[in-house]
Amino acid sequence: MKNVLARFMKDESGATAIEYGLIAALISITIITAATSIGGGIKGKFESVDTAITGE
């Protein structure tokens, strides 16, 4: 029983999975933030092209 408990305490696979999950979450937040910023700029460009074409 002592060996089983010692192996359980040394097992870091759960911690590694949590670390990878946190890294993936941070990368996702960065991508979403960048896409939102770029999306606003692209929307403005398309609106100015639309205004130039339609003359409104």
Side-chain angles (χ1 to χ4, degrees):
M1 184 67 177
K2 193 174 186 179
N3 288 336
V4 173
L5 185 59
R7 278 188 294 169
F8 178 75
M9 294 301 287
K10 289 182 181 179
D11 185 18
E12 296 183 2
S13 62
T16 303
I18 291 171
E19 290 170 356
Y20 283 133
L22 290 172
I23 291 170
L26 290 174
I27 290 171
S28 299
I29 290 169
T30 304
I31 290 172
I32 290 169
T33 302
T36 302
S37 298
I38 292 171
I42 291 173
K43 180 182 177 188
K45 295 289 183 187
F46 275 112
E47 287 174 351
S48 66
V49 169
D50 180 49
T51 302
I53 291 172
T54 59
E56 296 177 6

mmCIF file of all heavy atoms in Angstrom:
data_model
loop_
_atom_site.group_PDB
_atom_site.id
_atom_site.type_symbol
_atom_site.label_atom_id
_atom_site.label_comp_id
_atom_site.label_asym_id
_atom_site.label_seq_id
_atom_site.Cartn_x
_atom_site.Cartn_y
_atom_site.Cartn_z
ATOM 1 N N MET A 1 0.827 -1.194 0.000
ATOM 2 C CA MET A 1 0.000 0.000 0.000
ATOM 3 C C MET A 1 0.870 1.256 0.000
ATOM 4 O O MET A 1 0.518 2.243 -0.629
ATOM 5 C CB MET A 1 -0.913 -0.056 1.237
ATOM 6 C CG MET A 1 -1.886 1.073 1.316
ATOM 7 S SD MET A 1 -3.073 0.928 -0.007
ATOM 8 C CE MET A 1 -4.127 2.260 0.342
ATOM 9 N N LYS A 2 1.976 1.184 0.692
ATOM 10 C CA LYS A 2 2.880 2.324 0.761
ATOM 11 C C LYS A 2 3.458 2.654 -0.613
ATOM 12 O O LYS A 2 3.589 3.822 -0.980
ATOM 13 C CB LYS A 2 4.001 2.015 1.760
ATOM 14 C CG LYS A 2 4.819 3.201 2.146
ATOM 15 C CD LYS A 2 5.799 2.815 3.240
ATOM 16 C CE LYS A 2 6.525 4.028 3.755
ATOM 17 N NZ LYS A 2 7.464 3.707 4.815
ATOM 18 N N ASN A 3 3.772 1.613 -1.394
ATOM 19 C CA ASN A 3 4.301 1.820 -2.747
ATOM 20 C C ASN A 3 3.255 2.450 -3.664
ATOM 21 O O ASN A 3 3.571 3.306 -4.485
ATOM 22 C CB ASN A 3 4.795 0.504 -3.349
ATOM 23 C CG ASN A 3 6.081 0.032 -2.704
ATOM 24 O OD1 ASN A 3 6.831 0.833 -2.151
ATOM 25 N ND2 ASN A 3 6.323 -1.260 -2.765
ATOM 26 N N VAL A 4 2.028 2.042 -3.523
ATOM 27 C CA VAL A 4 0.948 2.592 -4.348
ATOM 28 C C VAL A 4 0.771 4.074 -4.050
ATOM 29 O O VAL A 4 0.645 4.898 -4.964
ATOM 30 C CB VAL A 4 -0.371 1.819 -4.100
ATOM 31 C CG1 VAL A 4 -1.523 2.497 -4.813
ATOM 32 C CG2 VAL A 4 -0.236 0.378 -4.544
ATOM 33 N N LEU A 5 0.803 4.424 -2.770
ATOM 34 C CA LEU A 5 0.654 5.823 -2.381
ATOM 35 C C LEU A 5 1.843 6.657 -2.870
ATOM 36 O O LEU A 5 1.663 7.769 -3.358
ATOM 37 C CB LEU A 5 0.517 5.932 -0.867
ATOM 38 C CG LEU A 5 0.236 7.328 -0.319
ATOM 39 C CD1 LEU A 5 -1.052 7.873 -0.905
ATOM 40 C CD2 LEU A 5 0.174 7.309 1.182
ATOM 41 N N ALA A 6 3.043 6.097 -2.796
ATOM 42 C CA ALA A 6 4.242 6.808 -3.261
ATOM 43 C C ALA A 6 4.167 7.039 -4.769
ATOM 44 O O ALA A 6 4.500 8.126 -5.259
ATOM 45 C CB ALA A 6 5.494 6.026 -2.896
ATOM 46 N N ARG A 7 3.734 6.029 -5.530
ATOM 47 C CA ARG A 7 3.590 6.205 -6.987
ATOM 48 C C ARG A 7 2.534 7.252 -7.310
ATOM 49 O O ARG A 7 2.681 8.039 -8.241
ATOM 50 C CB ARG A 7 3.233 4.878 -7.651
ATOM 51 C CG ARG A 7 4.439 3.999 -7.902
ATOM 52 C CD ARG A 7 4.056 2.809 -8.725
ATOM 53 N NE ARG A 7 3.146 1.985 -7.915
ATOM 54 C CZ ARG A 7 2.450 0.970 -8.369
ATOM 55 N NH1 ARG A 7 2.523 0.622 -9.638
ATOM 56 N NH2 ARG A 7 1.662 0.274 -7.580
ATOM 57 N N PHE A 8 1.442 7.251 -6.551
ATOM 58 C CA PHE A 8 0.374 8.224 -6.773
ATOM 59 C C PHE A 8 0.880 9.647 -6.538
ATOM 60 O O PHE A 8 0.562 10.561 -7.283
ATOM 61 C CB PHE A 8 -0.822 7.925 -5.859
ATOM 62 C CG PHE A 8 -1.937 8.908 -5.995
ATOM 63 C CD1 PHE A 8 -2.763 8.877 -7.104
ATOM 64 C CD2 PHE A 8 -2.165 9.876 -5.024
ATOM 65 C CE1 PHE A 8 -3.802 9.780 -7.244
ATOM 66 C CE2 PHE A 8 -3.192 10.786 -5.154
ATOM 67 C CZ PHE A 8 -4.013 10.738 -6.272
ATOM 68 N N MET A 9 1.679 9.843 -5.518
ATOM 69 C CA MET A 9 2.197 11.172 -5.198
ATOM 70 C C MET A 9 3.209 11.655 -6.238
ATOM 71 O O MET A 9 3.333 12.844 -6.482
ATOM 72 C CB MET A 9 2.845 11.162 -3.808
ATOM 73 C CG MET A 9 1.855 10.915 -2.686
ATOM 74 S SD MET A 9 0.537 12.119 -2.606
ATOM 75 C CE MET A 9 1.429 13.501 -1.962
ATOM 76 N N LYS A 10 3.919 10.727 -6.888
ATOM 77 C CA LYS A 10 4.916 11.096 -7.899
ATOM 78 C C LYS A 10 4.296 11.292 -9.277
ATOM 79 O O LYS A 10 4.916 11.872 -10.156
ATOM 80 C CB LYS A 10 5.999 10.026 -7.991
ATOM 81 C CG LYS A 10 6.905 9.997 -6.797
ATOM 82 C CD LYS A 10 7.977 8.945 -6.960
ATOM 83 C CE LYS A 10 8.879 8.900 -5.747
ATOM 84 N NZ LYS A 10 9.905 7.864 -5.878
ATOM 85 N N ASP A 11 3.089 10.789 -9.481
ATOM 86 C CA ASP A 11 2.435 10.876 -10.791
ATOM 87 C C ASP A 11 2.070 12.319 -11.077
ATOM 88 O O ASP A 11 1.294 12.937 -10.362
ATOM 89 C CB ASP A 11 1.193 10.001 -10.814
ATOM 90 C CG ASP A 11 0.540 9.942 -12.178
ATOM 91 O OD1 ASP A 11 1.205 10.292 -13.173
ATOM 92 O OD2 ASP A 11 -0.637 9.548 -12.255
ATOM 93 N N GLU A 12 2.638 12.877 -12.142
ATOM 94 C CA GLU A 12 2.382 14.274 -12.512
ATOM 95 C C GLU A 12 1.623 14.403 -13.820
ATOM 96 O O GLU A 12 1.553 15.478 -14.398
ATOM 97 C CB GLU A 12 3.710 15.028 -12.603
ATOM 98 C CG GLU A 12 4.434 15.126 -11.287
ATOM 99 C CD GLU A 12 5.702 15.938 -11.392
ATOM 100 O OE1 GLU A 12 5.987 16.460 -12.485
ATOM 101 O OE2 GLU A 12 6.400 16.043 -10.379
ATOM 102 N N SER A 13 1.045 13.323 -14.315
ATOM 103 C CA SER A 13 0.342 13.390 -15.601
ATOM 104 C C SER A 13 -0.876 14.301 -15.529
ATOM 105 O O SER A 13 -1.185 15.002 -16.479
ATOM 106 C CB SER A 13 -0.060 11.990 -16.066
ATOM 107 O OG SER A 13 -0.944 11.395 -15.138
ATOM 108 N N GLY A 14 -1.566 14.328 -14.404
ATOM 109 C CA GLY A 14 -2.710 15.228 -14.259
ATOM 110 C C GLY A 14 -2.285 16.680 -14.266
ATOM 111 O O GLY A 14 -2.925 17.529 -14.878
ATOM 112 N N ALA A 15 -1.175 16.973 -13.590
ATOM 113 C CA ALA A 15 -0.660 18.344 -13.567
ATOM 114 C C ALA A 15 -0.232 18.781 -14.956
ATOM 115 O O ALA A 15 -0.452 19.926 -15.358
ATOM 116 C CB ALA A 15 0.507 18.447 -12.597
ATOM 117 N N THR A 16 0.372 17.867 -15.696
ATOM 118 C CA THR A 16 0.800 18.185 -17.059
ATOM 119 C C THR A 16 -0.416 18.489 -17.937
ATOM 120 O O THR A 16 -0.389 19.435 -18.728
ATOM 121 C CB THR A 16 1.601 17.015 -17.654
ATOM 122 O OG1 THR A 16 2.709 16.742 -16.800
ATOM 123 C CG2 THR A 16 2.111 17.339 -19.032
ATOM 124 N N ALA A 17 -1.470 17.714 -17.794
ATOM 125 C CA ALA A 17 -2.685 17.956 -18.578
ATOM 126 C C ALA A 17 -3.276 19.319 -18.243
ATOM 127 O O ALA A 17 -3.738 20.041 -19.133
ATOM 128 C CB ALA A 17 -3.697 16.850 -18.322
ATOM 129 N N ILE A 18 -3.267 19.675 -16.972
ATOM 130 C CA ILE A 18 -3.794 20.981 -16.574
ATOM 131 C C ILE A 18 -2.935 22.099 -17.158
ATOM 132 O O ILE A 18 -3.456 23.105 -17.651
ATOM 133 C CB ILE A 18 -3.867 21.091 -15.039
ATOM 134 C CG1 ILE A 18 -4.952 20.158 -14.522
ATOM 135 C CG2 ILE A 18 -4.137 22.511 -14.587
ATOM 136 C CD1 ILE A 18 -4.982 20.020 -13.011
ATOM 137 N N GLU A 19 -1.626 21.928 -17.139
ATOM 138 C CA GLU A 19 -0.733 22.940 -17.716
ATOM 139 C C GLU A 19 -0.994 23.108 -19.205
ATOM 140 O O GLU A 19 -1.060 24.230 -19.704
ATOM 141 C CB GLU A 19 0.718 22.552 -17.472
ATOM 142 C CG GLU A 19 1.135 22.653 -16.025
ATOM 143 C CD GLU A 19 2.493 22.037 -15.752
ATOM 144 O OE1 GLU A 19 3.088 21.454 -16.680
ATOM 145 O OE2 GLU A 19 2.957 22.142 -14.615
ATOM 146 N N TYR A 20 -1.135 22.006 -19.913
ATOM 147 C CA TYR A 20 -1.433 22.099 -21.346
ATOM 148 C C TYR A 20 -2.778 22.768 -21.586
ATOM 149 O O TYR A 20 -2.950 23.532 -22.536
ATOM 150 C CB TYR A 20 -1.407 20.719 -22.014
ATOM 151 C CG TYR A 20 -0.018 20.195 -22.255
ATOM 152 C CD1 TYR A 20 0.324 18.891 -21.917
ATOM 153 C CD2 TYR A 20 0.966 20.988 -22.829
ATOM 154 C CE1 TYR A 20 1.600 18.406 -22.133
ATOM 155 C CE2 TYR A 20 2.241 20.519 -23.055
ATOM 156 C CZ TYR A 20 2.554 19.222 -22.708
ATOM 157 O OH TYR A 20 3.807 18.746 -22.926
ATOM 158 N N GLY A 21 -3.741 22.491 -20.731
ATOM 159 C CA GLY A 21 -5.048 23.132 -20.848
ATOM 160 C C GLY A 21 -4.960 24.634 -20.645
ATOM 161 O O GLY A 21 -5.591 25.407 -21.368
ATOM 162 N N LEU A 22 -4.168 25.063 -19.659
ATOM 163 C CA LEU A 22 -3.999 26.496 -19.427
ATOM 164 C C LEU A 22 -3.290 27.171 -20.585
ATOM 165 O O LEU A 22 -3.660 28.282 -20.991
ATOM 166 C CB LEU A 22 -3.215 26.723 -18.128
ATOM 167 C CG LEU A 22 -3.956 26.389 -16.840
ATOM 168 C CD1 LEU A 22 -3.013 26.478 -15.652
ATOM 169 C CD2 LEU A 22 -5.142 27.311 -16.650
ATOM 170 N N ILE A 23 -2.276 26.511 -21.142
ATOM 171 C CA ILE A 23 -1.570 27.073 -22.300
ATOM 172 C C ILE A 23 -2.519 27.203 -23.481
ATOM 173 O O ILE A 23 -2.542 28.231 -24.165
ATOM 174 C CB ILE A 23 -0.347 26.208 -22.653
ATOM 175 C CG1 ILE A 23 0.714 26.337 -21.556
ATOM 176 C CG2 ILE A 23 0.229 26.597 -24.009
ATOM 177 C CD1 ILE A 23 1.851 25.343 -21.678
ATOM 178 N N ALA A 24 -3.334 26.174 -23.721
ATOM 179 C CA ALA A 24 -4.298 26.226 -24.825
ATOM 180 C C ALA A 24 -5.315 27.340 -24.613
ATOM 181 O O ALA A 24 -5.686 28.036 -25.567
ATOM 182 C CB ALA A 24 -5.009 24.879 -24.961
ATOM 183 N N ALA A 25 -5.742 27.547 -23.376
ATOM 184 C CA ALA A 25 -6.702 28.619 -23.083
ATOM 185 C C ALA A 25 -6.078 29.988 -23.346
ATOM 186 O O ALA A 25 -6.727 30.866 -23.936
ATOM 187 C CB ALA A 25 -7.180 28.526 -21.638
ATOM 188 N N LEU A 26 -4.837 30.182 -22.930
ATOM 189 C CA LEU A 26 -4.167 31.464 -23.166
ATOM 190 C C LEU A 26 -3.968 31.732 -24.655
ATOM 191 O O LEU A 26 -4.163 32.858 -25.125
ATOM 192 C CB LEU A 26 -2.832 31.503 -22.433
ATOM 193 C CG LEU A 26 -2.923 31.595 -20.914
ATOM 194 C CD1 LEU A 26 -1.539 31.471 -20.294
ATOM 195 C CD2 LEU A 26 -3.574 32.896 -20.498
ATOM 196 N N ILE A 27 -3.600 30.695 -25.392
ATOM 197 C CA ILE A 27 -3.437 30.856 -26.839
ATOM 198 C C ILE A 27 -4.779 31.197 -27.479
ATOM 199 O O ILE A 27 -4.856 32.067 -28.353
ATOM 200 C CB ILE A 27 -2.827 29.584 -27.460
ATOM 201 C CG1 ILE A 27 -1.363 29.451 -27.019
ATOM 202 C CG2 ILE A 27 -2.924 29.599 -28.977
ATOM 203 C CD1 ILE A 27 -0.721 28.136 -27.390
ATOM 204 N N SER A 28 -5.849 30.542 -27.049
ATOM 205 C CA SER A 28 -7.186 30.822 -27.593
ATOM 206 C C SER A 28 -7.612 32.258 -27.315
ATOM 207 O O SER A 28 -8.150 32.936 -28.197
ATOM 208 C CB SER A 28 -8.214 29.870 -26.985
ATOM 209 O OG SER A 28 -7.903 28.538 -27.295
ATOM 210 N N ILE A 29 -7.367 32.727 -26.093
ATOM 211 C CA ILE A 29 -7.718 34.104 -25.747
ATOM 212 C C ILE A 29 -6.947 35.090 -26.608
ATOM 213 O O ILE A 29 -7.495 36.086 -27.093
ATOM 214 C CB ILE A 29 -7.466 34.359 -24.248
ATOM 215 C CG1 ILE A 29 -8.486 33.584 -23.422
ATOM 216 C CG2 ILE A 29 -7.531 35.840 -23.911
ATOM 217 C CD1 ILE A 29 -8.176 33.551 -21.941
ATOM 218 N N THR A 30 -5.666 34.810 -26.839
ATOM 219 C CA THR A 30 -4.839 35.679 -27.680
ATOM 220 C C THR A 30 -5.363 35.716 -29.111
ATOM 221 O O THR A 30 -5.462 36.788 -29.719
ATOM 222 C CB THR A 30 -3.374 35.192 -27.667
ATOM 223 O OG1 THR A 30 -2.917 35.142 -26.314
ATOM 224 C CG2 THR A 30 -2.482 36.098 -28.475
ATOM 225 N N ILE A 31 -5.706 34.574 -29.642
ATOM 226 C CA ILE A 31 -6.210 34.499 -31.016
ATOM 227 C C ILE A 31 -7.547 35.241 -31.130
ATOM 228 O O ILE A 31 -7.780 35.989 -32.089
ATOM 229 C CB ILE A 31 -6.345 33.031 -31.473
ATOM 230 C CG1 ILE A 31 -4.957 32.422 -31.659
ATOM 231 C CG2 ILE A 31 -7.167 32.925 -32.757
ATOM 232 C CD1 ILE A 31 -4.960 30.935 -31.912
ATOM 233 N N ILE A 32 -8.431 35.051 -30.167
ATOM 234 C CA ILE A 32 -9.731 35.722 -30.206
ATOM 235 C C ILE A 32 -9.561 37.233 -30.114
ATOM 236 O O ILE A 32 -10.213 37.988 -30.852
ATOM 237 C CB ILE A 32 -10.642 35.200 -29.075
ATOM 238 C CG1 ILE A 32 -11.053 33.760 -29.366
ATOM 239 C CG2 ILE A 32 -11.864 36.085 -28.888
ATOM 240 C CD1 ILE A 32 -11.726 33.055 -28.205
ATOM 241 N N THR A 33 -8.669 37.688 -29.241
ATOM 242 C CA THR A 33 -8.425 39.119 -29.102
ATOM 243 C C THR A 33 -7.864 39.705 -30.391
ATOM 244 O O THR A 33 -8.306 40.767 -30.854
ATOM 245 C CB THR A 33 -7.447 39.380 -27.942
ATOM 246 O OG1 THR A 33 -8.007 38.822 -26.749
ATOM 247 C CG2 THR A 33 -7.203 40.849 -27.742
ATOM 248 N N ALA A 34 -6.897 39.020 -30.999
ATOM 249 C CA ALA A 34 -6.301 39.505 -32.240
ATOM 250 C C ALA A 34 -7.328 39.510 -33.375
ATOM 251 O O ALA A 34 -7.397 40.469 -34.152
ATOM 252 C CB ALA A 34 -5.102 38.631 -32.621
ATOM 253 N N ALA A 35 -8.127 38.464 -33.463
ATOM 254 C CA ALA A 35 -9.125 38.388 -34.531
ATOM 255 C C ALA A 35 -10.173 39.484 -34.373
ATOM 256 O O ALA A 35 -10.631 40.059 -35.369
ATOM 257 C CB ALA A 35 -9.794 37.013 -34.530
ATOM 258 N N THR A 36 -10.548 39.791 -33.149
ATOM 259 C CA THR A 36 -11.523 40.856 -32.909
ATOM 260 C C THR A 36 -10.961 42.210 -33.336
ATOM 261 O O THR A 36 -11.653 43.002 -33.987
ATOM 262 C CB THR A 36 -11.914 40.889 -31.422
ATOM 263 O OG1 THR A 36 -12.443 39.612 -31.059
ATOM 264 C CG2 THR A 36 -12.949 41.952 -31.147
ATOM 265 N N SER A 37 -9.707 42.459 -32.990
ATOM 266 C CA SER A 37 -9.078 43.729 -33.369
ATOM 267 C C SER A 37 -8.943 43.855 -34.883
ATOM 268 O O SER A 37 -9.262 44.895 -35.464
ATOM 269 C CB SER A 37 -7.693 43.834 -32.727
ATOM 270 O OG SER A 37 -7.802 43.817 -31.338
ATOM 271 N N ILE A 38 -8.474 42.816 -35.504
ATOM 272 C CA ILE A 38 -8.283 42.834 -36.963
ATOM 273 C C ILE A 38 -9.636 42.905 -37.663
ATOM 274 O O ILE A 38 -9.791 43.604 -38.669
ATOM 275 C CB ILE A 38 -7.492 41.591 -37.417
ATOM 276 C CG1 ILE A 38 -6.058 41.679 -36.885
ATOM 277 C CG2 ILE A 38 -7.489 41.460 -38.926
ATOM 278 C CD1 ILE A 38 -5.254 40.413 -37.082
ATOM 279 N N GLY A 39 -10.636 42.196 -37.123
ATOM 280 C CA GLY A 39 -11.968 42.199 -37.712
ATOM 281 C C GLY A 39 -12.571 43.589 -37.773
ATOM 282 O O GLY A 39 -13.216 43.958 -38.752
ATOM 283 N N GLY A 40 -12.373 44.376 -36.730
ATOM 284 C CA GLY A 40 -12.899 45.745 -36.729
ATOM 285 C C GLY A 40 -12.257 46.593 -37.806
ATOM 286 O O GLY A 40 -12.929 47.375 -38.484
ATOM 287 N N GLY A 41 -10.954 46.430 -37.997
ATOM 288 C CA GLY A 41 -10.258 47.181 -39.042
ATOM 289 C C GLY A 41 -10.704 46.768 -40.435
ATOM 290 O O GLY A 41 -10.906 47.617 -41.315
ATOM 291 N N ILE A 42 -10.881 45.484 -40.630
ATOM 292 C CA ILE A 42 -11.326 44.989 -41.941
ATOM 293 C C ILE A 42 -12.746 45.458 -42.230
ATOM 294 O O ILE A 42 -13.070 45.830 -43.363
ATOM 295 C CB ILE A 42 -11.222 43.450 -41.996
ATOM 296 C CG1 ILE A 42 -9.749 43.039 -41.985
ATOM 297 C CG2 ILE A 42 -11.924 42.896 -43.223
ATOM 298 C CD1 ILE A 42 -9.526 41.554 -41.876
ATOM 299 N N LYS A 43 -13.592 45.443 -41.203
ATOM 300 C CA LYS A 43 -14.971 45.912 -41.388
ATOM 301 C C LYS A 43 -14.981 47.365 -41.840
ATOM 302 O O LYS A 43 -15.728 47.742 -42.748
ATOM 303 C CB LYS A 43 -15.760 45.770 -40.090
ATOM 304 C CG LYS A 43 -17.191 46.231 -40.207
ATOM 305 C CD LYS A 43 -17.931 46.116 -38.888
ATOM 306 C CE LYS A 43 -19.334 46.668 -39.046
ATOM 307 N NZ LYS A 43 -20.043 46.755 -37.782
ATOM 308 N N GLY A 44 -14.130 48.195 -41.239
ATOM 309 C CA GLY A 44 -14.046 49.597 -41.634
ATOM 310 C C GLY A 44 -13.608 49.759 -43.078
ATOM 311 O O GLY A 44 -14.136 50.607 -43.816
ATOM 312 N N LYS A 45 -12.652 48.959 -43.507
ATOM 313 C CA LYS A 45 -12.186 49.021 -44.902
ATOM 314 C C LYS A 45 -13.299 48.641 -45.868
ATOM 315 O O LYS A 45 -13.513 49.299 -46.884
ATOM 316 C CB LYS A 45 -10.992 48.090 -45.118
ATOM 317 C CG LYS A 45 -9.763 48.478 -44.357
ATOM 318 C CD LYS A 45 -9.136 49.712 -44.924
ATOM 319 C CE LYS A 45 -7.865 50.024 -44.159
ATOM 320 N NZ LYS A 45 -7.266 51.276 -44.522
ATOM 321 N N PHE A 46 -14.034 47.567 -45.565
ATOM 322 C CA PHE A 46 -15.129 47.153 -46.439
ATOM 323 C C PHE A 46 -16.231 48.205 -46.482
ATOM 324 O O PHE A 46 -16.836 48.444 -47.539
ATOM 325 C CB PHE A 46 -15.707 45.801 -45.992
ATOM 326 C CG PHE A 46 -14.957 44.617 -46.532
ATOM 327 C CD1 PHE A 46 -14.228 43.805 -45.681
ATOM 328 C CD2 PHE A 46 -14.978 44.312 -47.879
ATOM 329 C CE1 PHE A 46 -13.538 42.722 -46.165
ATOM 330 C CE2 PHE A 46 -14.293 43.226 -48.380
ATOM 331 C CZ PHE A 46 -13.567 42.422 -47.515
ATOM 332 N N GLU A 47 -16.505 48.836 -45.353
ATOM 333 C CA GLU A 47 -17.524 49.881 -45.344
ATOM 334 C C GLU A 47 -17.091 51.079 -46.180
ATOM 335 O O GLU A 47 -17.910 51.666 -46.900
ATOM 336 C CB GLU A 47 -17.817 50.312 -43.903
ATOM 337 C CG GLU A 47 -18.611 49.289 -43.130
ATOM 338 C CD GLU A 47 -18.787 49.649 -41.666
ATOM 339 O OE1 GLU A 47 -18.151 50.616 -41.185
ATOM 340 O OE2 GLU A 47 -19.567 48.954 -40.988
ATOM 341 N N SER A 48 -15.807 51.439 -46.144
ATOM 342 C CA SER A 48 -15.348 52.563 -46.960
ATOM 343 C C SER A 48 -15.373 52.208 -48.444
ATOM 344 O O SER A 48 -15.700 53.054 -49.285
ATOM 345 C CB SER A 48 -13.949 53.012 -46.531
ATOM 346 O OG SER A 48 -12.992 52.016 -46.805
ATOM 347 N N VAL A 49 -15.062 50.957 -48.775
ATOM 348 C CA VAL A 49 -15.161 50.526 -50.182
ATOM 349 C C VAL A 49 -16.618 50.548 -50.628
ATOM 350 O O VAL A 49 -16.934 50.996 -51.737
ATOM 351 C CB VAL A 49 -14.548 49.117 -50.362
ATOM 352 C CG1 VAL A 49 -14.875 48.543 -51.730
ATOM 353 C CG2 VAL A 49 -13.039 49.156 -50.146
ATOM 354 N N ASP A 50 -17.512 50.054 -49.759
ATOM 355 C CA ASP A 50 -18.947 50.056 -50.095
ATOM 356 C C ASP A 50 -19.442 51.486 -50.321
ATOM 357 O O ASP A 50 -20.192 51.748 -51.274
ATOM 358 C CB ASP A 50 -19.735 49.403 -48.971
ATOM 359 C CG ASP A 50 -21.216 49.374 -49.237
ATOM 360 O OD1 ASP A 50 -21.618 48.953 -50.353
ATOM 361 O OD2 ASP A 50 -21.990 49.766 -48.333
ATOM 362 N N THR A 51 -19.023 52.400 -49.462
ATOM 363 C CA THR A 51 -19.429 53.805 -49.607
ATOM 364 C C THR A 51 -18.894 54.395 -50.914
ATOM 365 O O THR A 51 -19.608 55.120 -51.614
ATOM 366 C CB THR A 51 -18.922 54.628 -48.406
ATOM 367 O OG1 THR A 51 -19.436 54.057 -47.213
ATOM 368 C CG2 THR A 51 -19.361 56.074 -48.503
ATOM 369 N N ALA A 52 -17.653 54.043 -51.257
ATOM 370 C CA ALA A 52 -17.070 54.559 -52.496
ATOM 371 C C ALA A 52 -17.774 54.023 -53.733
ATOM 372 O O ALA A 52 -17.965 54.729 -54.710
ATOM 373 C CB ALA A 52 -15.576 54.211 -52.544
ATOM 374 N N ILE A 53 -18.196 52.765 -53.661
ATOM 375 C CA ILE A 53 -18.845 52.146 -54.813
ATOM 376 C C ILE A 53 -20.277 52.646 -54.963
ATOM 377 O O ILE A 53 -20.717 53.006 -56.074
ATOM 378 C CB ILE A 53 -18.841 50.603 -54.704
ATOM 379 C CG1 ILE A 53 -17.394 50.084 -54.852
ATOM 380 C CG2 ILE A 53 -19.726 49.962 -55.737
ATOM 381 C CD1 ILE A 53 -17.249 48.617 -54.570
ATOM 382 N N THR A 54 -21.028 52.675 -53.873
ATOM 383 C CA THR A 54 -22.443 53.039 -53.953
ATOM 384 C C THR A 54 -22.656 54.544 -53.898
ATOM 385 O O THR A 54 -23.710 55.022 -54.292
ATOM 386 C CB THR A 54 -23.239 52.383 -52.802
ATOM 387 O OG1 THR A 54 -22.705 52.806 -51.561
ATOM 388 C CG2 THR A 54 -23.210 50.868 -52.913
ATOM 389 N N GLY A 55 -21.685 55.283 -53.396
ATOM 390 C CA GLY A 55 -21.805 56.723 -53.336
ATOM 391 C C GLY A 55 -22.729 57.208 -52.235
ATOM 392 O O GLY A 55 -23.201 58.339 -52.280
ATOM 393 N N GLU A 56 -23.009 56.405 -51.278
ATOM 394 C CA GLU A 56 -23.905 56.801 -50.172
ATOM 395 C C GLU A 56 -23.132 57.266 -48.994
ATOM 396 O O GLU A 56 -22.263 56.778 -48.468
ATOM 397 C CB GLU A 56 -24.825 55.639 -49.785
ATOM 398 C CG GLU A 56 -25.758 55.260 -50.898
ATOM 399 C CD GLU A 56 -26.615 54.052 -50.527
ATOM 400 O OE1 GLU A 56 -26.565 53.584 -49.381
ATOM 401 O OE2 GLU A 56 -27.337 53.566 -51.385
#
